[in-house]
Structures are given as C-alpha cells and as structure tokens.
Amino acid sequence: MQVEFINADLQKKISGHLFRKNINDLEVIAFSEINSTNTFAKKIIEERHVKKAVIVSEKQTEGRGRLGRKFFSPEKTGLYLSIIYTMQNGITNPAMITVSAAVSVSRAIKKLFNIEVKVKWINDIFLNGKKIAGILTEGAVNPQSQKIESCVIGIGINLSDGENGKNKFPDELKKTAGSLFGTEKINSENIIAELSAEIFVELENIFSEPQEKIVSEYKSLLFMLGKKIKVFPVAGDGLCGSGDFYFATVTDLSREAGLVVLLDDGSKKILTSGEVSLRSENLVE
Ligand code: BT5
C-alpha cells in the first residue's frame, strides 16, 4: 500500500514564502514521506488536470532518476521537489526545460546561500566535484500541437551529509555524491520551504526569458568544456551498435542546449539528452 504523510506545517511555510512573493495561483502540497513526488505529480495531472503546483517531500521511498535509475532520498537531509508547470505556447525542445531548471536551481542557491554550483550536462548539479542535485523532467505532449504543454520538473537536492556529520550515502554513492551544506548543522524544514519557493520563482521568471540568454547562462555553469568524456549511446544515437561506448571531447553547447563534441576521428557531433547517457564517472580527464 502506498504511504503518503502530509506535512501541513511545511505546506504552510512554503505557501507563506510564495505568498510574500505574490504567487498564489498554484497548489502547494507537502509530505513527510511519499514514494516519489514526480509519480504523485503525474498522478494528479492525470486525475485532476492540475496545471501548476509545487509538491515537496522530506523523504522519498522510491525516488527516481533518469532511465529507470534510483535517486537516494533519505529523510530530512534533502529537498525532493516536483513542479507542475503548464506552458502557454508549449515547448518543442524538452532539453530546454531541464536546462531552465538547472539554471533556476543555481540562481536560487546563489541568491539564498551565496554558494556557486556547477552543472554537468544535462541534469546534474555539482559542488566541489561532487553531485549534489539531479533533475528529472517528464512531459506530456499534446498530440495536436506536438508540443509539451504540462511538464513535471523533478528536482532532488542533497542538503546535508546527515546527522553528526555522519555521511549517510550508501557505499556506491560515497565517492560521487555530496551535499550543499556538508556536515553543517541545518534546519532542514526551513531550508526546504525557502529553497523550494525560490526555485519556483526563478523558474517562472526564466520561462519568460529568451532561450539564448538561458543557454548562455547554462553554458557558463558547465564544467565540462574542453574535457574528454566517455559516451554511452542509448536508443536513437547514430553510433549505437558500434560498441558500448566511445570517447569524445566537449567543445561547445549548441543553441538548442545540445552538447557539441569532437570525436577521435575528427568528426563533430551534437549530443541530445534523449540519445546519450553520460554518467558522473565518465568524465575522463
Ligand atoms: C537524476 O537522475 O539525477 C534525477 C534525480 C531527480 C530526483 C528528483 S527528487 C524529486 C523528484 N521525484 C523523483 O522521484 N525524482 C525527482 P540521473 O541523472 O539518472 O542520476 C541518477 C544517478 O545518480 C544514480 O544512478 C546514482 O548514481 C546517482 N545518485 C542517486 N541518488 C543520488 C543522490 N542523492 N545524490 C547524488 N547522486 C545520486
């Protein structure tokens, strides 16, 4: 049976932050525990056609990453947030939603805590060489317009390393995962409320900004330019079938937020998010 524990206090705090920023045209739902805020968001879009919402949980029992991967979501040390957003004119490039979310997260963290994070294309946020956050964007395409109108933007942020500085990451994540505040003692509920409201505000602002500006800000956060990467193609990639992986050097970001890479044979290729799985450990040098 699915367990959902509403956290009314957290809900009130998030609504308060949003209200002070003049935002009250959305649903705010907060849980102490849920399976996955993205799964819940998709459910309420289907059942009640919700168009705009902020859904937060202090813990997830089945937090999801991309391509069926898991997102480790222990209680009170992280922010697990899903934003339901409905675009007025739709959006044809889903990568732009993820890119906009990454820029919003970095702006919110900089504004509230004066911490500058970096981005690993396309959906990972890094601090001091470790992944501190991930983004999972899921969209619903309107078959008539062929555009994504409603989307669920899932954002998971590791806030601290756990009680008494004891790193609670499981063994397989210890080398690659980090957190925003490390071993610092934090009031996670207040941070969760303030940060989720700020991310929503930044995201709503960013959706009205020109794509060029967003892509250029995203590019300034990328730490991969000039680096060699190991690329694992997934379905749809032209090089699929030519081996399990290939090496390439990142040279640029395209106008559509694709990763421009130079292959060892001298040819250029633009990687798009649906085609390529790029894992943290695959940054070669
Ligand atoms: C992501 O996928 O990083 C997207 C994560 C999105 C999580 C949010 S939380 C709210 C909303 N509800 C959900 O159910 N999901 C969203 P991906 O790029 O596929 O990365 C997954 C990989 O990151 C895993 O295979 C691990 O290697 C690593 N990982 C898992 N949990 C982590 C964590 N807490 N911190 C850092 N790395 C993690």
Side-chain angles (χ1 to χ4, degrees), residues 217-268:
E217 189 169 339
Y218 181 86
K219 188 174 161 183
S220 74
L221 298 170
L222 266 188
F223 65 82
M224 310 164 74
L225 293 174
K227 295 220 173 8
K228 194 153 193 182
I229 56 169
K230 196 171 173 185
V231 182
F232 287 83
V234 293
D237 185 283
L239 291 180
C240 223
S242 60
D244 288 335
F245 60 83
Y246 56 90
F247 291 98
T249 304
V250 181
T251 58
D252 203 358
L253 193 70
S254 77
R255 279 191 296 187
E256 300 292 316
L259 200 64
V260 185
V261 296
L262 188 65
L263 272 60
D264 285 347
D265 66 4
S267 62
K268 262 197 174 174

Side-chain angles (χ1 to χ4, degrees), residues 169-216:
F169 291 118
D171 285 348
E172 69 272 20
L173 292 180
K174 275 191 175 132
K175 274 199 188 134
T176 53
S179 66
L180 200 49
F181 299 105
T183 54
E184 229 177 277
K185 206 170 165 30
I186 56 162
N187 179 331
S188 63
E189 193 176 90
N190 285 349
I191 292 178
I192 288 170
E194 203 181 6
L195 187 53
S196 43
E198 190 62 40
I199 290 172
F200 180 85
V201 172
E202 297 292 346
L203 196 63
E204 186 148 68
N205 287 341
I206 223 170
F207 282 144
S208 62
E209 292 176 13
Q211 179 164 326
E212 231 177 271
K213 182 166 181 256
I214 305 167
V215 171
S216 138

Side-chain angles (χ1 to χ4, degrees), residues 50-92:
V50 174
K51 295 226 170 336
K52 212 192 243 189
V54 164
I55 299 146
V56 171
S57 187
E58 289 183 294
K59 172 185 177 180
Q60 293 183 123
T61 52
E62 291 163 45
R64 297 191 283 113
R66 294 177 309 151
L67 307 165
R69 296 195 283 249
K70 292 192 166 89
F71 191 78
F72 177 62
S73 316
E75 70 184 318
K76 301 204 190 258
T77 55
L79 160 61
Y80 315 112
L81 159 74
S82 292
I83 292 171
I84 298 179
Y85 208 86
T86 304
M87 316 288 162
Q88 238 173 12
N89 302 312
I91 184 161
T92 41

Side-chain angles (χ1 to χ4, degrees), residues 35-39 55 60 62-74 79-82 120 123-124 131-136 138 153-158 169 172-173 176-178 278-281:
N35 57 353
S36 150
T37 53
N38 262 38
T39 304
I55 299 146
Q60 293 183 123
E62 291 163 45
R64 297 191 283 113
R66 294 177 309 151
L67 307 165
R69 296 195 283 249
K70 292 192 166 89
F71 191 78
F72 177 62
S73 316
L79 160 61
Y80 315 112
L81 159 74
S82 292
K120 181 177 86 53
N123 68 321
D124 288 342
K131 173 168 170 174
I132 62 148
I135 297 165
L136 170 67
E138 301 183 286
I153 304 159
I155 299 165
I157 305 177
N158 304 324
F169 291 118
E172 69 272 20
L173 292 180
T176 53
L278 197 58
R279 318 229 13 207
S280 309
E281 56 272 30

